[in-house]
Amino acid sequence: MKLAARIGQVPPSLTLAIAAKAKALKAEGIDVCSFSAGEPDFDTPAHIKAAAEKALQEGKTKYGPAAGEPKLREAIARKLREDNGLCYNAENVIVTNGGKHSLFNLMLALIETGDEVIIPAPYWLSYPEMVKLAEGTPVIVTTDASGGYKITPDQLRSAITPKTKLFVLNSPSNPTGMIYTPEEIKALAEVVVENNIWVVSDEIYEKILYDGAEHLSIGAIGPEIFDRTIISNGFAKAYSMTGWRLGYLAGPVELIKAATTIQSHSTSNVCTFAQYGAIAALEGSQACVEEMCQAFAARRQVMLDRLNAIPGLICPKPDGAFYMFPDISQTGMKSMEFCNALLESHQVAAVPGIAFGADDCIRLSYATDMASIEKGMDRLEKFVREKTLG
Ligand SMILES: *Cc1c(COP(=O)(O)O)cnc(C)c1O
């Protein structure tokens, strides 16, 4: 079969391969500690489930508008105004099948052959692949631990060419957990405005912050950057709703209309009764978000203390999300070799950094219970000591 050339450019997900191997070991009855989760380990809060159940019982089981239930679009616009200082209305918002789908709609609506999209590495693994599927060119800018894995305004400026269309910003970041300070965001916004490019801000982890860290949405800085900003967000991480497939894209009406056209011919509306759960998530008490953050904060401290006590690993302290991204280069191994050996010899699942464009690192998720963290860190420590001491 001769498949389309566009698919030949896109590798299957590496993270899924390790996760599948971990699952297979578990199925054999082997006790695996998994730090590979890309989702919160909590159940969806009860009031959100109840709202979706009620909508289901009430017969909200038909097609709805492709851009989303009007009431949800209103609630999202209000959230963006009140939480983020972004002056959007319902017409600036489209409800999508998750934050991933928001970004995919955006790439299809904005990017064409020859367009360059600037992506700082380490990056969320789907960004470059989505750009390629839209027949654009990902331009990867490598950042390092000394700079907190953050792109500097100079790096951004140097990467811009006449073909640059879009810059992808993700703070807090998956995989590093780093966040850009308000000053850093302002400096990047200046470069975006000066060069008249677009920025998409993936804010899926905005609620998962530690030690008083502050999230500033780049579009809130002023009218000039607001006009060049697109926001991607969703319900998966903040409300532990990964399987619900609910996200949104916000931006200029022209873009939202284009994304709606794409959606109307591809997926149609997001599951109608699920959208009522999303309304409850936004309009109900936010205490559930706070509770999950507190649980993550305690685990983060334990994992970080344990990592820092392992000679040979270097891990900057993350301020958000639920990941650690230690550098493993002192062990002499690259990330795939490290993760395969760790899983096979000590039954700990981690994600190789090469999946995120950083082959000297691994990603550890602490979206798992404290006992598993302690046990897994014992094993990781033993593994690294054996490898480095020979
Ligand atoms: C999880 C995640 C998303 C979106 O996930 P959905 O489940 O599609 O809402 C987007 N960006 C990053 C960086 C993520 O980690």
Side-chain angles (χ1 to χ4, degrees):
M1 187 188 288
K2 189 187 173 301
L3 295 175
R6 82 175 65 82
I7 196 67
Q9 318 249 341
V10 178
S13 169
L14 275 175
T15 53
L16 294 183
I18 289 269
K21 201 167 179 181
K23 229 184 210 161
L25 288 174
K26 267 188 192 164
E28 287 173 33
I30 295 166
D31 170 30
V32 177
C33 290
S34 184
F35 297 136
S36 61
E39 60 184 340
D41 54 322
F42 308 105
D43 196 3
T44 302
H47 70 281
I48 299 175
K49 289 206 241 179
E53 276 167 16
K54 180 162 171 281
L56 185 56
Q57 291 309 324
E58 285 172 356
K60 297 215 164 47
T61 56
K62 304 294 186 194
Y63 289 135
E69 291 294 296
K71 204 175 161 213
L72 177 55
R73 293 174 77 196
E74 282 290 350
I76 292 166
R78 191 177 322 117
K79 178 255 177 243
L80 290 167
R81 290 195 302 268
E82 290 173 2
D83 280 11
N84 306 109
L86 301 162
C87 45
Y88 289 126
N89 295 308
E91 60 177 1
N92 297 105
V93 173
I94 177 175
V95 182
T96 61
N97 291 285
K100 186 179 272 181
H101 186 222
S102 297
L103 292 160
F104 190 65
N105 279 338
L106 166 67
M107 296 306 171
L108 282 191
L110 194 68
I111 301 304
E112 59 192 344
T113 308
D115 286 342
E116 294 179 353
V117 178
I118 298 176
I119 302 171
Y123 48 73
W124 187 46
L125 69 174
S126 293
Y127 298 142
E129 310 312 335
M130 287 178 181
V131 171
K132 288 190 235 162
L133 286 170
E135 289 165 15
T137 306
V139 174
I140 308 298
V141 177
T142 303
T143 66
D144 56 28
S146 65
Y149 294 115
K150 294 187 264 194
I151 189 171
T152 65
D154 283 342
Q155 279 181 309
L156 177 59
R157 203 175 280 113
S158 317
I160 293 173
T161 75
K163 290 181 179 170
T164 305
K165 187 84 184 256
L166 178 69
F167 163 48
V168 180
L169 180 64
N170 174 217
S171 176
S173 152
N174 176 6
T176 68
M178 293 296 155
I179 74 163
Y180 287 80
T181 65
E183 289 67 35
E184 289 164 344
I185 297 271
K186 280 178 197 150
L188 292 172
E190 273 175 31
V191 181
V192 169
V193 169
E194 266 166 33
N195 291 278
N196 211 27
I197 60 172
W198 290 94
V199 58
V200 59
S201 182
D202 179 351
E203 307 193 344
I204 195 95
Y205 294 101
E206 64 165 335
K207 301 282 185 197
I208 307 176
L209 300 170
Y210 310 106
D211 297 343
E214 201 186 320
H215 168 77
L216 174 65
S217 185
I218 189 165
I221 290 168
E224 284 180 302
I225 184 70
F226 178 74
D227 287 345
R228 310 218 58 81
T229 297
I230 299 143
I231 303 289
S232 175
N233 203 334
F235 296 84
K237 310 293 163 52
Y239 299 99
S240 203
M241 293 170 71
T242 44
W244 291 60
R245 310 314 303 134
L246 270 163
Y248 53 91
L249 189 70
V253 172
E254 197 183 352
L255 172 76
I256 298 306
K257 279 192 176 152
T260 304
T261 301
I262 292 168
Q263 203 156 284
S264 72
H265 291 299
S266 50
T267 60
S268 298
N269 62 285
V270 173
C271 172
T272 306
F273 53 87
Q275 292 187 58
Y276 285 83
I279 295 170
L282 291 178
E283 293 186 343
S285 163
Q286 301 301 301
C288 54
V289 179
E290 187 51 38
E291 277 163 28
M292 289 190 257
C293 276
Q294 277 171 12
F296 284 139
R299 298 160 176 189
R300 162 180 170 267
Q301 197 58 55
V302 169
M303 190 180 261
L304 188 68
D305 290 346
R306 294 293 311 264
L307 276 179
N308 284 335
I310 303 177
L313 298 189
I314 304 161
C315 189
K317 188 176 186 177
D319 297 307
F322 38 73
Y323 309 106
M324 303 265 165
F325 205 60
D327 184 306
I328 54 156
S329 54
Q330 287 183 24
T331 65
M333 283 179 277
K334 289 294 183 187
S335 63
M336 271 306 249
E337 186 194 353
F338 186 99
C339 289
N340 274 319
L342 178 64
L343 182 59
E344 277 161 19
S345 67
H346 289 73
Q347 294 76 49
V348 174
V351 183
I354 193 170
F356 312 101
D359 205 9
D360 282 334
C361 296
I362 61 167
R363 191 191 74 177
L364 301 171
S365 159
Y366 48 94
T368 186
D369 62 280
M370 199 68 105
S372 300
I373 292 175
E374 292 280 14
K375 185 160 73 179
M377 295 313 284
D378 287 343
R379 294 179 183 182
L380 176 67
E381 179 162 6
K382 221 167 139 240
F383 173 77
V384 175
R385 283 186 192 278
E386 285 165 13
K387 290 290 173 187
T388 49
L389 301 177

